[in-house]
Amino acid sequence: MDRDLFATVDRYVEGLFIGTDAALEAAVADSQAAGLPAIQVSAVQGRLLHLLALLVRARRILEIGTLGGYSTIWLARALPEDGRLISLEYEPRYAEVARANIVRAGLAERVEIRIGRGLETLAALAGEGAAPFDMVFIDADKDAYLEYLQWALRLTRSGSLIVADNVVRRGVIPVAGEDGARALGIQRFNAALAAEPRVTATILPLAGSKGFDGMALAVVH
Ligand code: SAH
Ligand code: DHB
Ligand code: MG
């Protein structure tokens, strides 16, 4: 019932503001054909990420969790010609699919995918003395969200935006039969974000084709 309603609203917004988009549709189709899980952000959520990146005039974006590069494409399209997006992915096979999707979207120059465990590639990034990111999108393994937040705070500057996907569904609203690690990880992340003096944050509840969920938004002081 609710799900039908959410999906109807989502289709309405998508029809108005997105319509058909060849590169994004091909990215979804090829990800599915390659057997990747269909857990990318929805089109409407992708559009929100794109709008947020424009809002902060992002020139450098960090994404944690690439999958097939769907959210990557939405984010990278908000970058200026000389902007950069670094996306971190654990599965080499997913990264390969993402790479092809990003090339087809004409974004190869702006996007770099780094393969490895997020916590390790983040430590390496910090070790390189990477310039601060204007925006960080956290969307990988949920039990590490709190650690990803700590890294995001290290790798940003005053005025940067930190966004985290999936902070409501299966976190605050538990799913029967599912192990608690994911829910606990999300709950810890949300509590830490709310108590974090270095940011002003909130959770944006989102209902759409992926059901009911939310994204956390935090601006760094
Ligand atoms: N941002 C994508 C969806 C990401 S799904 C989109 O909306 O289009 C989560 C991704 O995080 C998966 O591809 C998964 O392989 C990856 N992941 C899981 N654990 C990880 C880890 N420890 N380090 C990096 N990536 C990880
Ligand atoms: C799922 C959805 C996500 O957006 C994600 O990042 C990870 C998993 C899911 O539906 O299982
Ligand atoms: Mg997600």
Side-chain angles (χ1 to χ4, degrees), residues 84-95:
R84 285 296 263 175
L85 185 154
I86 298 177
S87 189
L88 312 182
E89 174 55 50
Y90 176 64
E91 291 284 347
R93 202 170 64 79
Y94 295 1

Side-chain angles (χ1 to χ4, degrees), residues 39-41 65 67 70-71 89-90 94 117-118 139-141 148:
I39 55 174
Q40 69 277 354
V41 294
L67 191 65
Y70 183 81
S71 56
E89 174 55 50
Y90 176 64
Y94 295 1
R117 288 186 194 283
D139 194 19
D141 44 326
Y148 292 145

Side-chain angles (χ1 to χ4, degrees), residues 73-123:
I73 293 171
W74 274 112
L75 286 166
R77 280 178 174 176
L79 290 168
E81 201 78 36
D82 61 345
R84 285 296 263 175
L85 185 154
I86 298 177
S87 189
L88 312 182
E89 174 55 50
Y90 176 64
E91 291 284 347
R93 202 170 64 79
Y94 295 1
E96 202 177 302
V97 173
R99 190 71 213 156
N101 288 333
I102 288 157
V103 167
R104 181 177 36 216
L107 296 163
E109 304 287 289
R110 277 175 255 182
V111 177
E112 180 191 342
I113 301 171
R114 295 201 181 186
I115 298 165
R117 288 186 194 283
L119 292 176
E120 285 164 26
T121 42
L122 284 163

Side-chain angles (χ1 to χ4, degrees), residues 24-36:
L24 288 170
E25 285 160 22
V28 170
D30 280 13
S31 297
Q32 197 184 344
L36 273 56

Side-chain angles (χ1 to χ4, degrees), residues 39 139 142 165-166 210:
I39 55 174
D139 194 19
K142 311 309 167 193
D165 193 27
N166 313 115
K210 290 179 79 181

Side-chain angles (χ1 to χ4, degrees), residues 3-77:
R3 229 190 139 102
D4 287 349
L5 174 63
F6 299 161
T8 302
V9 175
D10 218 41
R11 274 197 299 275
Y12 172 70
V13 178
E14 188 176 336
L16 268 179
F17 294 98
I18 301 160
T20 56
D21 188 310
L24 288 170
E25 285 160 22
V28 170
D30 280 13
S31 297
Q32 197 184 344
L36 273 56
I39 55 174
Q40 69 277 354
V41 294
S42 69
V44 173
Q45 290 169 349
R47 178 94 177 163
L48 172 66
L49 293 172
H50 178 80
L51 187 151
L52 290 170
L54 290 175
L55 189 64
V56 298
R57 294 183 161 77
R59 304 184 67 84
R60 287 178 53 78
I61 299 175
L62 173 64
E63 175 177 69
I64 309 171
T66 318
L67 191 65
Y70 183 81
S71 56
T72 318
I73 293 171
W74 274 112
L75 286 166
R77 280 178 174 176

